[in-house]
Amino acid sequence: MFTMKPAEPPFTHLPIARSVLLEPYGLDDAHLAAALAEIFRHRVDYADLYFQFTRSEGWSLEEGIVKSGSFSIDQGVGVRAVSGDKTAFAYSDVIGAEALMSAARAARTIASRGAGRVKVAGALEPAAGRALYAAEDPIPRLDAAAKVALLERVERMARAKDPRVKQVMAGLAAEYDVVLVARSDGLLAADVRPLVRVSVTVIAEQGGRREQGHSGGGGRFDLGRFDDALLAGYVDEAVKAALTNLEARPAPAGTMTVVLGPGWPGVLLHEAVGHGLEGDFVRKGSSVFAGRIGQRVAARGVTVVDDGTLPGRRGSLNIDDEGNPSQCNVLIEDGVLKGYMQDTLNARLMGVPFTGNGRRESFAHLPMPRMTNTCMLAGERDPGEILDSVERGLYAVNFGGGQVDITNGKFVFSASEAWWVEKGRLQYPVKGATIVGNGPDALTRVTMIGNDMRLDAGIGVCGKDGQSVPVGVGQPTLRIEALTVGGTA
């Protein structure tokens, strides 16, 4: 019989998880152990149960009217069995003893055949734990009237900034996520994860020309954090971007020096480099970074970490979705590749330690190696000095969308706000600039690293293999040589 060892001495999260995910359905630790034992009637190496309850709410305002509102509750359990490099997975959106055992039998049956994924109907010793965020539901922090009033304040602030602001769209989202993991090695772990976000989009018009600006932020805290000062910062950024784009000229094209601003432009690092350092791509040999531990992959001074332990940050986790504590993992140090991000499966198959990066979108998905908060650490240069050093080039303040090919590291990113620079001075904003390059190659072209490392405001969502998870990015101001810029000029 399996013995469960809870993964938190403070006993903060386990009582909540039990009260939400087990007790209402007549389940206890004995039922979890019995389900794991059922899976092991077939020979497997490892098995786990992942219970989840998610309550989410969203509001959006446009033209001064709340155009949409949503509220949803999702819950269920995923059952995984691993044998060698093969994984069997079954899940149920019904929680109960019968549904749990049905999922366990289905996973056992699939394991005996090799692989697959199906949906089926519906004495404890503590180990280590932490509390990077409050174990509270952020949704009741404000009532419905207060949430609408918050969005209305955002709109009033934006319209008061400039008469050229013609349209304002504001959104508010909150989520309360409770997870519980029971593993065949005896570990029992739980987490209670709040997540909130405010977004604002501004459309400005001048002389018949219309341009947009976007901003927002959030993290693992409650809605009370969004005071007038914080909302005003989001509004200022969105309005400034829209008005700047009204003055933008067609972007030049060619090979040139590019300066990336701090914060959200770290999304380029996330996409062009971070995904290539995830263990599944490395193990399968599809990453350009495979087999390069100890080799120089970036310029001196470039240090990249993935840190899931930052308090209150959007990408942070007390435990990952396999029950392992999140970590601060050094990926690249002073330009030398030091490690990869691993879940338990890929770590075992590669013979290396796991790193607390096993993540999944929900109970209905398998975990895989994913980033948390990925950033480049600060250097020693003043940001003004970096701009002053540019004879002719592009200063990319903010990014929109982008694409990357993991197998070769090639990327294409569009700049949502950028400036043309000559002799160290911002000349005029440009529109339509795309930055094209190769992630590993671009890292070797970094020549100046600012002392202003900044994390993004808390807006990131990462997609991989059809699964989306919240993440954080960050970096200091960077000067990169000889990047290709596609423009409209």
Side-chain angles (χ1 to χ4, degrees):
M1 190 70 171
F2 292 94
T3 302
M4 300 288 103
K5 304 176 206 174
E8 46 176 335
F11 293 103
T12 303
H13 300 130
L14 272 171
I16 297 174
R18 284 194 174 106
S19 68
V20 171
L21 292 165
L22 301 183
E23 292 168 6
Y25 310 102
L27 296 178
D28 56 23
D29 294 353
H31 290 94
L32 310 187
L36 291 168
E38 177 68 23
I39 298 170
F40 271 76
R41 288 178 58 189
H42 175 75
R43 184 175 179 180
V44 297
D45 299 320
Y46 168 88
D48 61 20
L49 316 174
Y50 183 84
F51 293 84
Q52 183 179 32
F53 169 90
T54 303
R55 178 166 50 227
S56 58
E57 184 177 286
W59 300 78
S60 65
L61 179 143
E62 185 177 347
E63 298 175 342
I65 303 170
V66 174
K67 289 290 183 74
S68 66
S70 63
F71 181 86
S72 66
I73 292 177
D74 196 19
Q75 64 182 31
V77 57
V79 178
R80 176 174 62 151
V82 178
S83 179
D85 62 352
K86 296 181 173 63
T87 298
F89 182 64
Y91 72 98
S92 172
D93 52 14
V94 174
I95 297 178
E98 183 178 348
L100 178 61
M101 291 303 291
S102 294
R105 293 187 194 101
R108 185 196 71 201
T109 301
I110 299 167
S112 68
R113 296 173 182 170
R117 176 179 184 268
V118 300
K119 177 180 178 180
V120 298
L124 301 176
E125 299 176 7
R130 63 160 70 96
L132 300 172
Y133 33 82
E136 297 176 359
D137 186 348
I139 295 176
R141 180 65 171 79
L142 300 177
D143 62 23
K147 291 165 185 171
V148 172
L150 184 152
L151 296 179
E152 290 174 339
R153 283 205 310 280
V154 169
E155 185 190 44
R156 286 197 303 271
M157 287 178 181
R159 291 189 181 275
K161 294 292 293 184
D162 195 284
R164 289 172 290 180
V165 173
K166 301 301 181 185
Q167 191 171 353
V168 181
M169 291 156 282
L172 176 67
E175 181 178 287
Y176 177 63
D177 196 33
V178 182
V179 302
L180 185 145
V181 182
R183 305 193 322 208
S184 57
D185 61 4
L187 182 135
L188 183 66
D191 199 6
V192 180
R193 303 167 178 169
L195 189 64
V196 296
R197 176 178 172 176
V198 164
S199 60
V200 55
T201 297
V202 169
I203 298 177
E205 184 175 0
Q206 177 178 275
R209 178 175 176 177
R210 295 167 67 89
E211 296 290 349
Q212 294 188 51
H214 309 275
S215 186
R220 295 197 182 279
F221 42 80
D222 69 43
L223 295 172
R225 185 77 64 90
F226 294 119
D227 58 18
D228 282 354
L230 189 55
L231 296 177
Y234 299 154
V235 168
D236 287 347
E237 185 175 346
V239 172
K240 177 180 174 290
L243 298 181
T244 296
N245 287 331
L246 282 176
E247 308 295 332
R249 307 179 192 178
T255 301
M256 63 187 73
T257 298
V258 174
V259 175
L260 303 180
W264 179 247
V267 69
L268 190 151
L269 177 76
H270 168 104
E271 294 288 356
V273 177
H275 279 299
L277 297 176
E278 292 170 336
D280 47 354
F281 293 129
V282 173
R283 179 176 64 84
K284 297 170 185 175
S286 57
S287 167
V288 292
F289 292 104
R292 300 191 63 186
I293 295 291
Q295 296 181 20
R296 178 163 297 281
V297 296
R300 294 189 182 278
V302 172
T303 296
V304 178
V305 302
D306 183 83
D307 190 352
T309 70
L310 301 174
R313 298 300 305 185
R314 183 173 173 85
S316 295
L317 299 168
N318 288 316
I319 58 168
D320 71 3
D321 293 327
E322 296 180 304
N324 297 315
S326 59
Q327 301 178 17
C328 179
N329 300 298
V330 178
L331 305 175
I332 299 172
E333 185 174 26
D334 196 21
V336 176
L337 183 61
K338 292 294 184 178
Y340 307 116
M341 291 166 281
Q342 302 285 4
D343 63 353
T344 54
L345 172 63
N346 287 279
R348 178 175 58 81
L349 294 174
M350 294 176 68
V352 298
F354 60 80
T355 62
N357 288 95
R359 304 191 65 186
R360 61 177 105 197
E361 180 177 321
S362 78
F363 67 88
H365 299 83
L366 279 167
M368 65 181 87
R370 304 292 299 271
M371 285 173 273
T372 58
N373 304 297
T374 310
C375 56
M376 184 185 297
L377 300 189
E380 300 179 350
R381 298 299 189 99
D382 182 87
E385 177 191 2
I386 295 177
L387 267 180
D388 287 344
S389 72
V390 179
E391 184 66 23
R392 288 171 58 86
L394 188 77
Y395 176 42
V397 180
N398 222 333
F399 280 115
Q403 294 181 345
V404 63
D405 185 336
I406 300 299
T407 61
N408 56 31
K410 291 182 179 179
F411 62 80
V412 180
F413 274 85
S414 60
S416 58
E417 182 183 350
W419 292 76
W420 179 246
V421 181
E422 289 186 14
K423 300 186 183 301
R425 297 293 178 264
L426 301 181
Q427 299 298 312
Y428 51 84
V430 298
K431 182 177 176 61
T434 58
I435 298 176
V436 182
N438 176 282
D441 178 64
L443 286 185
T444 66
R445 298 176 183 270
V446 174
T447 56
M448 301 178 79
I449 304 173
N451 59 12
D452 59 340
M453 199 288 280
R454 191 169 76 205
L455 295 167
D456 76 286
I459 59 175
V461 177
C462 174
K464 175 181 174 181
D465 289 351
Q467 295 191 42
S468 296
V469 296
V471 296
V473 301
Q475 67 171 43
T477 298
L478 299 177
R479 174 173 167 154
I480 307 178
E481 306 301 326
L483 281 182
T484 300
V485 174
T488 53

